[in-house]
């Protein structure tokens, strides 16, 4: 039975909510008993923690942040394991794209999706250092090209700007 009122989902977001899986797991279980659905927004890396909470989660928004964009490590093996678990539920992937993106890195991430959960929608999110991504014509042209290339490998690749920035919501 669904919870009453206008809000059907409870969102766990961050920081990184899976750092607190010992807190989230019992909370999610009790919220599920009250009829709520659980939406988890995560960096897509902490697959052991996801494995602990996945039974209580309904929708997973998983990031895949290319190292060329973030300047951090490459987490492709963690992303693959994470997606293997997340695909039990409704899931979509967000890939953050800037003009620093290395094409092969992007294609490797799309191939992980194809090999692990090819029906998963992938959302390309523009990130520009100078201006907001959707206002950067060069970046948007790049995104259209990435969408076309990704769509040759998997079925569902979308471009979605950061609406909280467009709407000036913190």
């Amino acid at each position: 039975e669904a919870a009453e009122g206008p809000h059907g989902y409870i969102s766990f977001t961050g920081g990184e909510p899976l750092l607190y899986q010992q807190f989230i797991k019992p909370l999610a279980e009790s919220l599920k008993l009250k009829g709520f659905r659980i939406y988890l927004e995560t960096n897509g890396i902490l697959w052991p923690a996801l494995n602990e909470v996945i039974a209580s989660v309904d929708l997973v928004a998983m990031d895949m942040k290319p190292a060329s964009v973030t300047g951090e490590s490459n987490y492709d093996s963690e992303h693959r394991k994470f997606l293997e678990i997340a695909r039990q539920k409704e899931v979509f992937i967000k890939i953050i794209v800037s003009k620093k993106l290395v094409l092969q890195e992007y294609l490797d991430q799309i191939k992980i999706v194809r090999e692990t959960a090819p029906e998963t929608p992938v959302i390309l999110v523009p990130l520009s250092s100078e201006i907001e991504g959707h206002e950067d014509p060069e970046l948007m042209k790049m995104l259209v090209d990435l969408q076309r290339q990704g769509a040759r490998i998997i079925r569902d690749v979308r471009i979605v700007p950061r609406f909280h920035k467009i709407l000036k919501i913190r």
Side-chain angles (χ1 to χ4, degrees):
E1 182 178 321
E4 290 185 32
H7 308 292
Y9 280 89
I10 301 290
S11 175
F12 292 116
T13 185
E16 174 50 52
L18 287 176
L19 290 172
Y20 310 98
Q21 58 96 4
Q22 291 180 324
F23 172 77
I24 287 173
K25 185 177 179 180
L27 178 59
E29 289 169 354
S30 67
L31 289 166
K32 296 279 291 177
L33 291 174
K34 295 185 181 306
F36 288 102
R37 289 171 288 177
I38 305 300
Y39 170 72
L40 177 67
E41 189 155 333
T42 171
N43 65 18
I45 295 170
L46 303 175
W47 61 269
L50 178 66
N51 203 40
E52 291 296 315
V53 303
I54 193 67
S56 300
V57 171
D58 298 287
L59 175 58
V60 178
M62 171 188 171
D63 286 352
M64 292 179 101
K65 293 181 179 171
S68 57
V69 173
T70 65
E72 297 176 6
S73 299
N74 180 304
Y75 292 106
D76 284 356
S77 63
E78 290 87 349
H79 288 322
R80 183 184 300 273
K81 290 175 185 171
F82 195 96
L83 186 54
E84 286 171 358
I85 298 164
R87 71 181 180 194
Q88 302 171 43
K89 301 296 175 102
E90 186 178 351
V91 60
F92 67 92
I93 295 167
K94 293 183 292 179
I95 298 180
I96 308 303
V97 176
S98 79
K99 288 183 275 191
K100 295 178 185 176
L101 178 71
V102 172
L103 177 60
Q104 190 56 54
E105 191 178 20
Y106 165 74
L107 294 174
D108 288 347
Q109 290 186 332
I110 294 294
K111 287 173 186 169
I112 288 171
V113 177
R114 181 188 66 198
E115 294 162 5
T116 309
E119 69 289 347
T120 305
V122 170
I123 297 169
L124 305 179
V125 180
L127 183 65
S128 181
S129 56
E130 311 87 53
I131 52 178
E132 193 49 45
H134 66 280
E135 298 171 333
D136 184 333
E138 186 182 342
L139 178 57
M140 293 309 292
K141 184 178 181 306
M142 179 183 170
L143 277 165
V144 170
D145 186 50
L146 291 172
Q147 181 184 35
R148 286 188 184 125
Q149 291 192 53
R152 292 185 194 121
I153 300 169
I154 61 172
R155 183 179 55 82
D156 193 351
V157 181
R158 309 171 194 181
I159 299 169
V160 177
R162 300 185 324 155
F163 280 112
H164 65 288
K165 295 292 185 176
I166 294 169
L167 299 174
K168 297 180 176 29
I169 299 170
R170 197 162 177 238

